[in-house]
Amino acid sequence: MHEWALAEAIISSVSEIAGKEGLVEVREVKIKVGELQQVELDVLEFALSELKTGIIKNAEFVIETVEAKLKCRVCGQKWSFSKNKLNAESIEAIHFVPEVIYAYIKCPACGSPDFEILEGRGIWLESIKGVK
Amino acid sequence: MADPRIGIINKRLEKVKRVIAVSSGKGGVGKSLVASTLALILSKENYDVGLFDADFTSPSTHLILGIKEIKTEEERGIVPAKVHGLKYMSIVAFSREKVLPLRGADFSNALIELFSTILWGDLDFLIIDMPPGISDATLDIIRLVRKIEFLVVSTPSPLAFETVEKLLSLLKELKVPVNGVVENMKVKEGLFVKRKVEEAGVKFLGEIPFDPEIENALGNVNALFKTDFARKLGEIASKIISPSV
C-alpha cells in the first residue's frame, strides 16, 4: 500500500512538469524504480491507473526496475542485492526505507557496513511525452 | 528528470499547522529530551501533535518515551504509530535494534522517502528531533520542508554555544524562522548565553536548570512530567505556542 503514496507522488510530479512544459495531454511517462524500493509493480501500476486524471488520464506508464548494485567503500567489492538472503521482516523494512539496508546487509568480502549503493534505489521520472 | 517524492513532501504536510525542528550545533545538549517532552506538553494542552525522530543514526526519543514497539500501519502510505497521545515516527520502526550507519546521501534519501510516505494528517504541531550540527540533516530539512521553524537548544558551555552561534547564523542567512534558544542544563547563574542570543537578534526563550532526577525518569512519561525539567519546559512551551508572549 506504500505504493499508493509513491503513485500519488508520481502523479503530482507529472502534473507539475506537464504544466510547466505546456502539455495539453500526457501520452507516455517513463519511470525508473530502484530494486531496493521493493515496490510491487502491479500495485504501483494499479494505483497509477486509479489516480491519473485530467491531462494524464490517457497516459501510459512505462516502469523499469533498476537492479541494485552495491560497492564496498573499504575493500572495493561489488555485488548485487539479493533479497533471498534476508528474512521477511528485513525485506519489509527495506521496502519502506531502502536506506535501512545498512542495518541488514554487510560487504560479503570484508563484512563492512560502509558500502555505496551505486544504483537501484529511489524512484525517478525518466521522461514525459505528450501533446502541446 | 525528477525525483517525484520531493514534490509531494509539502503536500503531505499541508494539514500540519507548524513544523518545529529542535536542533543544536552540538550533541549532548538535551535536544531529544526537549523535543520529546515538548511534544508531550503540547499534547497535554490538547493540541494534536506529531513527533518525528530525524536522528536516524542515533535515535533516542523512543527510549525517552519508553516505547517498546513502534506500530505503524500501511494505508496508502505510512500511518504513524500512536503513543502517549502523539503521532510518532522513528526509523527504529524499520531498523529496529540494529546499528544504522548512514552517510550524507543515504540520510537524505531516507529522509525523502519517509517525508514523502508518512501520512501525518491534521496536526497543530509536528516536532522534529534533529541530529546535531549543520550538515545534511539541517540542510535537507530546510530544503524540503517549506514551513519549517527552528527551536535551538544550547547549554551554558561556551563550547556548545559556539556551535549554536554558527547554526543561528546559518538559519539567519537562509531566512529560516527561529522560535528562539533554550538554555538547558544550567548549573550556575550567568547571562552569557542569554546576552549572546539577544545580541544575535534571536529570542531567548528561557533556561532549564540541570535536573539530576531526569535520568531516573527516562522511559517513564508520568515520571518525566513530574520533573523540574518538564515544569520549566512547560513555561517555555507557552512562548512557543504564542510567540508574542
Side-chain angles (χ1 to χ4, degrees):
Chain A
M1 297 297 272
H2 167 244
E3 284 77 3
W4 281 85
L6 295 175
E8 256 183 86
I10 292 167
I11 295 289
S12 167
S13 209
V14 170
S15 301
E16 201 186 314
I17 294 168
K20 275 184 194 162
E21 292 187 359
L23 300 181
V24 291
E25 189 187 6
V26 177
R27 292 267 170 87
E28 184 196 77
V29 180
K30 280 191 176 162
I31 304 161
K32 283 192 170 175
V33 179
E35 184 190 4
L36 286 185
Q37 302 291 125
Q38 296 289 301
V39 164
E40 286 189 35
L41 287 184
D42 50 347
V43 180
L44 181 63
E45 278 163 354
F46 177 70
L48 288 168
S49 68
E50 288 289 299
L51 294 172
K52 60 181 186 181
T53 53
I55 59 165
I56 309 173
K57 197 170 61 185
N58 298 317
E60 184 197 354
F61 286 87
V62 181
I63 306 170
E64 183 195 339
T65 303
V66 180
E67 192 190 331
K69 289 187 181 141
L70 314 172
K71 183 185 175 189
C72 180
R73 282 196 169 94
V74 178
C75 72
Q77 173 82 14
K78 285 185 184 175
W79 75 102
S80 297
F81 170 74
S82 168
K83 66 177 185 182
N84 300 335
K85 291 176 183 162
L86 296 167
N87 62 29
E89 234 183 24
S90 310
I91 293 167
E92 194 189 50
I94 294 169
H95 160 71
F96 282 112
V97 187
E99 286 67 34
V100 298
I101 189 176
Y102 292 101
Y104 298 105
I105 288 182
K106 306 226 178 323
C107 168
C110 74
S112 171
D114 187 11
F115 57 86
E116 201 179 339
I117 302 169
L118 295 174
E119 49 187 15
R121 76 162 146 198
I123 190 157
W124 198 254
L125 284 182
E126 190 68 3
S127 66
I128 298 173
K129 287 182 188 160
V131 182
K132 283 200 178 180
Chain B
M1 202 172 180
D3 183 340
R5 298 173 302 174
I6 291 174
I8 201 91
I9 289 175
N10 287 296
K11 284 184 190 162
R12 295 271 181 251
L13 297 171
E14 227 165 31
K15 292 177 181 169
V16 179
K17 289 186 188 134
R18 291 178 66 187
V19 185
I20 301 177
V22 179
S23 182
S24 181
K26 246 190 178 331
V29 300
K31 218 168 9 65
S32 301
L33 196 57
V34 168
S36 307
T37 314
L38 176 64
L40 290 171
I41 290 168
L42 293 170
S43 173
K44 210 175 179 186
E45 295 282 326
N46 288 323
Y47 289 104
D48 290 320
V49 183
L51 176 62
F52 178 49
D53 196 330
D55 197 348
F56 296 159
T57 55
S58 309
S60 61
T61 55
H62 63 297
L63 302 173
I64 293 167
L65 299 175
I67 302 167
K68 301 273 182 280
E69 193 187 353
I70 304 166
K71 288 183 186 161
T72 58
E73 279 175 37
E74 208 183 345
E75 195 186 305
R76 295 197 171 199
I78 304 170
V79 180
K82 196 88 181 153
V83 286
H84 309 304
L86 306 173
K87 287 183 183 173
Y88 178 74
M89 182 55 81
S90 163
I91 203 152
V92 173
F94 308 111
S95 61
R96 301 186 188 93
E97 77 292 353
K98 304 268 191 190
V99 179
L100 181 63
L102 292 178
R103 285 177 181 262
D106 304 311
F107 177 92
S108 299
N109 265 289
L111 193 71
I112 290 168
E113 185 73 22
L114 282 169
F115 264 128
S116 62
T117 52
I118 299 175
L119 309 175
W120 290 106
D122 288 281
L123 286 180
D124 294 304
F125 294 94
L126 174 61
I127 307 296
I128 305 178
D129 180 26
M130 297 287 291
I134 50 175
S135 53
D136 300 84
T138 301
L139 296 173
D140 277 332
I141 289 275
I142 295 169
R143 171 173 74 106
L144 298 170
V145 182
R146 216 175 290 141
K147 58 177 85 165
I148 197 74
E149 315 167 25
F150 272 69
L151 172 65
V152 179
V153 182
S154 183
T155 68
S157 159
L159 289 183
F161 191 74
E162 168 76 19
T163 61
V164 159
E165 239 176 348
K166 291 195 167 79
L167 172 63
L168 292 175
S169 296
L170 175 77
L171 296 173
K172 189 176 179 184
E173 201 175 316
L174 299 176
K175 298 183 176 62
V176 178
V178 179
N179 280 286
V181 175
V182 175
E183 187 181 10
N184 191 24
M185 301 187 205
K186 187 98 178 182
V187 282
K188 60 179 184 188
E189 295 288 310
L191 294 171
F192 169 73
V193 171
K194 182 174 190 291
R195 205 174 289 141
K196 294 286 262 180
V197 168
E198 287 170 351
E199 272 171 24
V202 176
K203 195 170 179 179
F204 180 77
L205 291 167
E207 54 189 46
I208 304 176
F210 177 75
D211 182 349
E213 292 305 309
I214 201 78
E215 290 287 327
N216 298 327
L218 297 180
N220 181 338
V221 166
N222 290 331
L224 193 58
F225 265 123
K226 289 178 189 149
T227 58
D228 289 342
F229 173 87
R231 201 170 52 246
K232 197 67 197 176
L233 186 60
E235 293 168 22
I236 291 169
S238 60
K239 297 179 192 172
I240 297 164
I241 296 166
S242 313
S244 56
V245 174

